[in-house]
Amino acid sequence: MEPTRGAIGRIYSGNPSRDFNPYLEVRNIRKLDDPQGGTRYAVSVTDGDFVVKALALPGSSLISQIERNEVIVTTLLCLTDYRLEELNGSSFLLINHARVMGTVPEHLRVPSERLQKWVTAGARQQQPVATQPDPSAALFPRPATAAGVGGSVLANGETTPEKRGNFGAAEHTPGPVTMQPYPPMQGGAGAAAMPNPYSGPSCDQSMPAFQQQQQQQQQHQQPPPTAQGRAGASGNITDFFGRQPLVKSTTGDSSVGGFVPIKELSPYTSGRWRIKARVLTKSDIRRFSNARGEGQLFKIDIGDKSGEISGTFFGKAVDKYYPMLQQGQVYVFSRAHVKPANPRYDRGDVVLTFEDQSQVEAAQDDQEIPGVTFDFRPLCSVPELEQHTLIDVQAVIYAVQEPFHFTSKASNREMVKREIGIWDASGPDGGSVCNVTVWGDRALGDGFEVGTPVFMKAARVSEWNGNKELSSPSVIEMNPDDGRAFTLKAKYEEVQKTRPMPMKASTMGGTSGARKTAQEVREEDMQLGPPPVMGQALDPNGPKAIHRHILQATISTLPTDRMPCYASCPALVARAAGATQQSGQAATERACQKKVTQEGPNMWRCANGHVCQNPTFRY
């Protein structure tokens, strides 16, 4: 099944019959803030040609279907009860009831870039085709005084604005009510509604002149249709989205107004939007290669008063804007693509993609736009978090490793990382620890010192061999000038007085526990389960296959009868599937690494029969 082509145009033209139940595909779902405490959803639907934003209001069965995950993106809906309603000069499709018909097959989905946004500019700006009078009105004229759908007829044939929501029988069912370029008249769309080129205020014979003057004065005193919205918590008029009416700048200064709040962006937002936001985070440039060749990108997080959003710069935009964008500064962003976000890598529901045609302009600092904010989570909560969750942490560095250089097996590029251990005062024993991995140029920095308090933003929860750790924080703030950092460092120094060595590194990351003895470690390791089958993930509910311990102990004996290494065979053999690639080796070969024994001067042999003159010593 696929959407009903032309359904949106038929609905908004006002010509659907009572039994017209179109099929529309869901393209986006967003929960709205309601100042009156109700539940509302904005649902973008398409008929395969146009896309329009519909509303699911309190009392609609569509809300419960969304919350039960019966309605998701690409769901095909059959609208059984719907209507149009005008708000703040725009017409919105209200869905009361809809049947779930399944999911639109992938080969029948129209790409988002081929869909056109239906302009719902309100009754006074409808399409010209909808302004034509009903051709049947001449054959079947209706009395001008009959009770109709709303509004009234003036002497010159014009209509007064109808009251919002006064649709009569169409309030609950999409009856055959013809939508006119102006709100419907009390006399319907018949002959009395058609403007007479020979009539005017001065030649109307149906009422005296003084009554015509009084009616015109009453019409001018009526409030405009845009003032018939809902009163929000502040007493101002709001629409169904809970938003205040947008006021565009009249001074020409882009810093005064005319900006779209970040939370209002969606994949169907018009390409003429502009946002004013502060750069919260900025990543390093990352280069990649794919079937289309080499490429480069970098990511930023920006925010305004309404929320935050991620952005990615590609290609020439990297060279153009990477030196310009500075963390903490305010900029005006426009002409970027708004796309659905990947929860694994992005924050929020949508993400911005900047390319060569995108525009970024520096702006004056705006104190109303917040800076980098932290929502700290304790380290003891890390084991319960799902992979790829982004969290903010405040901690003290208790261990630092040297940078580690290696060659990526996937891209064959030289990479560098560094692991640091952090501690906070959470957990039942008064402290928790976790490992954090930093990459690239940040790993080569000199600011990582034991005892330094640190604030980290958007650190990603990762898992390796059943261990939960953190990696790639977007912001690392060393020695922050913050009272929380001073308090945490004082607690760390107090703990170091009683337990000078770092607390044990948990095998699950982010947990705490008392120091264990060597005997306790042996007893714990007796409970280890069998190693997982090659290619299968580790069962989180089963017995652990690996334990890692850090002990405080004294070295009692050092062996001196042999070297702490062995001589290995350097001959190249065929690489096994999944083996780690070393720098300088072919993609299909690896070193033999079997132990070799000396058979004579400059002659070593391994168990595979390889003979070499200079073995490789492996420690």
Side-chain angles (χ1 to χ4, degrees), residues 10 13 63 84 130 135 145 152-153 231 237 282 284 307 321 324 374 381 429 459 477 521 541 550 597 616:
R10 185 173 174 182
S13 66
I63 293 180
L84 293 177
T145 59
S152 60
V153 185
I237 301 300
K282 174 185 173 184
D284 298 327
Y321 293 118
M324 171 184 174
F374 295 92
S381 66
D429 296 321
E477 190 173 343
V521 169
N541 300 322
I550 294 180
T597 56
T616 300

Side-chain angles (χ1 to χ4, degrees), residues 346-362:
D346 305 313
R347 309 183 74 174
D349 298 327
V350 295
V351 65
L352 300 178
T353 300
F354 295 88
E355 297 178 345
D356 189 27
Q357 75 278 4
S358 303
Q359 293 184 357
V360 180
E361 303 172 0

Side-chain angles (χ1 to χ4, degrees), residues 122 139 173 287 304 440 470 555 579 585:
L139 298 178
T173 58
R287 291 172 174 82
D304 63 6
L470 300 176
I555 298 176
Q585 294 180 357

